Every structure is written in C-alpha cells, then in structure tokens.
Amino acid sequence: MKKKILMFATVATLSVAMTACGTVQTRNNSTSTVEPTKKVEATTAPTVEPTTELIATSTPTPEPTEIPWNATDVSAFEYRYFNMKEHDFSYKEEADCIAIIGIIDENLTSIAIPKTINGLPVKIIIDLGGHAPYWGGPVSDTEDLRKFVDNPVRNITNIAIPDTIIEIGDGAFRYCTGLTEIILPHGLTKIGEDAFEGCSSLINIVIPDTVKEVGAGAFSECSSLKEVTLSNRQTVIREDTFYKCISLAEINFSETIKVIEYRAFSGCSSLVEVKLPSQVETIEMWAFSGCDELAVLWIPESAKEIHSAILSWSESPIVVYAPKDSYAETWAKEQGHAVIDYTPEE
C-alpha cells in the first residue's frame, strides 16, 4: 500500500493553509451540495450528542516562532493552540472557524465535538490521535514527542460529530481501534487520506452524498468492516481505499463512479460477487487482488480501460458478466475467465 511514513527527528511539521476556513489545503480540496445521509444504528456504545457551544476558559499562549523542521531542541517552543484540558481536546482557532487538532485524555471512551467554540463554527477535524502532522506542535519535550506518536484515542468507541464539520483530515481517526460506529454529518465534503485506517472495530460506514472526495487509504485495514455505502458524488475510488478490509462483503456503489484505482479493494477476502456501476471506465492494476473468494464480477459496457492484472496472478479464473461484443468481454476472454453475456438495464 502506498503509505505515508511520518519521520520525526524530534518534531514533525506541516503548514496547513485555511481560506475562510471553508477549505483546508492538506492534499486535496472539494466542495459539494448538502444532502441527507443514511443513518447507521449504533450497536454498542450509547450515542453522545454534539454540544452546541463551548466557551474557552483558558488563555491562549502568544503565537510563537514556528518550530523549524530540523529542530533538535524544541523545549523552548510554546504550544501553538489552546490546551483545553477541561474540554478533553485541543483546537486551533482561525479567523472564522475552529479546527479540532487533538484529544488530550487517553482514557476517554466517548466524546462529543461541539458545533461552536467561542462563537465560531467547528468545521474541521484535523486529527484526534496525534498521527497527522500539523502546525509544528504540540511537541515540547521528549516525553511529549512520545505521546504525540502514540495513539490517545484507542479506547474511544463513540464520537458525535456535529453537522458543521465539512472536512475530516488525513489520518484523523487512524487506529481508533475501539470505534464501532460513526455517523458522518450531512455537510461533510471531504474525507482525507488514511482518515479511518486501522479502525479495526468499525462495522458499517455510510459516506454522505455531500462527500465528493475520499482520500487514498481512507478505510484501509478496517478489518471488521462488513458493508460500505459510497457517496453519489464520488467519481473515483482512490488507491488502497478499502485495502485489507477482510470482512467486507457488500459494496453499495454509486452510479457516478468512473475510476477504480490501484489496489482499491485489494485483500478484501470476503467479497464473493461484485457488480460494478454502469459508468465505470477504468479499472487499475490489482484493484481486486487478494480477493480470494471473489467468484463473479460484473463489468459494464462503459469500461474501456481494464488492466490485465486487476486480480492477482495466482487467483483462479472467475465468472465475468459482460455485455456482448464489449471491451470487457474481450478482456475477460483474453484473461481466461468464463464469460456470460448480459444485456445492460435501461
């Protein structure tokens, strides 16, 4: 999997640009209209409701000089955000919005993110577990650096996210291994790379139809994930999005999907039958490699670019449903798969 390995000399830095806090520039930006989501019922922990308003009671530290990337002694640098211990998490205040950047109490099992803080809307979740690099902090000494790399959210089973959130950042919920369910809000437009990587207890995910961009590896290694529903504004399933989701058995595709990238469903060993949506044009290498139980694959007439190795070389031939005289039919025969012609639904 194409992973981003964070290397710390003693501190990791990343400049994050915000424009009116409606867009955070980390890797990609996207916006879309707001439509309702399908609710996922909680199966374990009780749901916690987002709070409406949170007022800071602590005094922010003066804005310090940015910690240089090659710093060897960071003890002199101040934290670059409010350290809101009485509210369980830290945040960054911008001109007209708030970005959540960390959870402080590693013993928390549930948390409710407020809709507003100090009168400003909470729009961004940059990070909850100390995995995504941001703003040159919060490292102040060697012990804090260790905590920064460790995961303080491993015990959390339930997180209430308000409908003010428009973006979930890269690696924001990475390795929240206790998280069993999460309801993504209606106004969400972007899910960052590796956002839910390694959330090994997550069972079901519904991506709201307001989401246009889901980053590479967003749900990789979610080993308990059984069903996923994609947004009808997505056009691409990025590389490694569902890599090694070994329990994934049902994919509710949107008809807007056009491209399935490298290893998007690689290692999904519980998939038995996959029917690709009617507008798919490109299926990249190893898109379904390691799907050991995959027996049936439906490929639409729109598919004009199918890599010869979308399956692992060692896997047995499968049954491919393809329209007569289509590129998919030719591809399947060349690869030695059994072909069944079908007439696409009008």
Side-chain angles (χ1 to χ4, degrees), residues 233-310:
R233 298 188 186 280
Q234 285 179 257
T235 58
V236 179
I237 301 177
R238 298 293 180 190
E239 63 180 87
D240 295 332
T241 297
F242 298 101
Y243 176 75
K244 285 191 176 180
C245 290
I246 59 175
S247 299
L248 184 61
E250 185 172 352
I251 307 164
N252 299 307
F253 288 101
S254 64
E255 290 300 317
T256 56
I257 298 297
K258 295 181 182 294
V259 179
I260 300 176
E261 288 189 348
Y262 171 75
R263 296 200 316 187
F265 295 97
S266 179
C268 293
S269 53
S270 294
L271 286 176
V272 175
E273 181 173 355
V274 174
K275 187 172 184 178
L276 299 179
S278 62
Q279 297 186 50
V280 165
E281 298 173 354
T282 302
I283 310 172
E284 294 187 0
M285 183 172 70
W286 296 348
F288 294 95
S289 65
C291 296
D292 300 333
E293 299 300 317
L294 186 62
V296 179
L297 180 62
W298 295 67
I299 305 179
E301 190 171 12
S302 58
K304 304 298 182 185
E305 185 178 350
I306 308 174
H307 197 281
S308 60
I310 66 171

Side-chain angles (χ1 to χ4, degrees), residues 51-274:
T51 56
T52 301
E53 172 70 17
L54 184 146
I55 303 297
T57 56
S58 61
T59 303
T61 57
E63 189 71 9
T65 303
E66 184 171 350
I67 302 176
W69 70 270
N70 59 347
T72 57
D73 181 8
V74 295
S75 60
F77 293 95
E78 299 287 346
Y79 284 5
R80 292 187 62 109
Y81 56 81
F82 294 107
N83 198 14
M84 302 297 293
K85 291 187 177 181
E86 65 270 35
H87 297 298
D88 301 323
F89 56 84
S90 299
Y91 64 88
K92 176 72 174 178
E93 183 172 332
E94 293 296 324
D96 64 350
C97 84
I98 298 292
I100 302 299
I101 60 175
I103 287 180
I104 295 169
D105 187 354
E106 64 181 25
N107 296 314
L108 286 175
T109 58
S110 65
I111 187 169
I113 296 174
K115 290 185 176 182
T116 61
I117 296 176
N118 294 340
L120 296 176
V122 179
K123 290 188 175 182
I124 316 293
I125 300 175
I126 297 293
D127 184 42
L128 289 183
H131 293 287
Y134 44 76
W135 285 295
V139 182
S140 64
D141 53 36
T142 302
E143 179 64 15
D144 276 347
L145 178 59
R146 186 190 64 78
K147 292 178 180 178
F148 180 73
V149 178
D150 287 348
N151 182 15
V153 292
R154 59 186 177 273
N155 297 319
I156 290 182
T157 59
N158 184 270
I159 300 173
I161 302 178
D163 56 12
T164 55
I165 296 294
I166 62 171
E167 180 171 337
I168 294 174
D170 297 341
F173 294 92
R174 182 184 287 165
Y175 300 122
C176 289
T177 55
L179 188 63
T180 56
E181 65 97 15
I182 189 166
I183 300 175
L184 301 178
H186 297 357
L188 187 66
T189 62
K190 178 183 176 183
I191 299 173
E193 297 182 2
D194 306 321
F196 293 90
E197 177 188 8
C199 291
S200 56
S201 298
L202 194 61
I203 296 173
N204 187 311
I205 193 75
V206 176
I207 301 174
D209 286 337
T210 52
V211 173
K212 186 176 180 180
E213 173 69 18
V214 177
F219 298 96
S220 60
E221 299 185 45
C222 291
S223 57
S224 297
L225 188 64
K226 295 182 178 180
E227 181 178 358
V228 62
T229 300
L230 303 181
S231 165
N232 65 18
R233 298 188 186 280
Q234 285 179 257
T235 58
V236 179
I237 301 177
R238 298 293 180 190
E239 63 180 87
D240 295 332
T241 297
F242 298 101
Y243 176 75
K244 285 191 176 180
C245 290
I246 59 175
S247 299
L248 184 61
E250 185 172 352
I251 307 164
N252 299 307
F253 288 101
S254 64
E255 290 300 317
T256 56
I257 298 297
K258 295 181 182 294
V259 179
I260 300 176
E261 288 189 348
Y262 171 75
R263 296 200 316 187
F265 295 97
S266 179
C268 293
S269 53
S270 294
L271 286 176
V272 175
E273 181 173 355
V274 174

Side-chain angles (χ1 to χ4, degrees), residues 325-340:
D325 299 326
S326 66
Y327 179 82
E329 181 188 49
T330 301
W331 171 87
K333 289 179 178 179
E334 289 177 349
Q335 302 304 314
H337 301 300
V339 179
I340 298 178

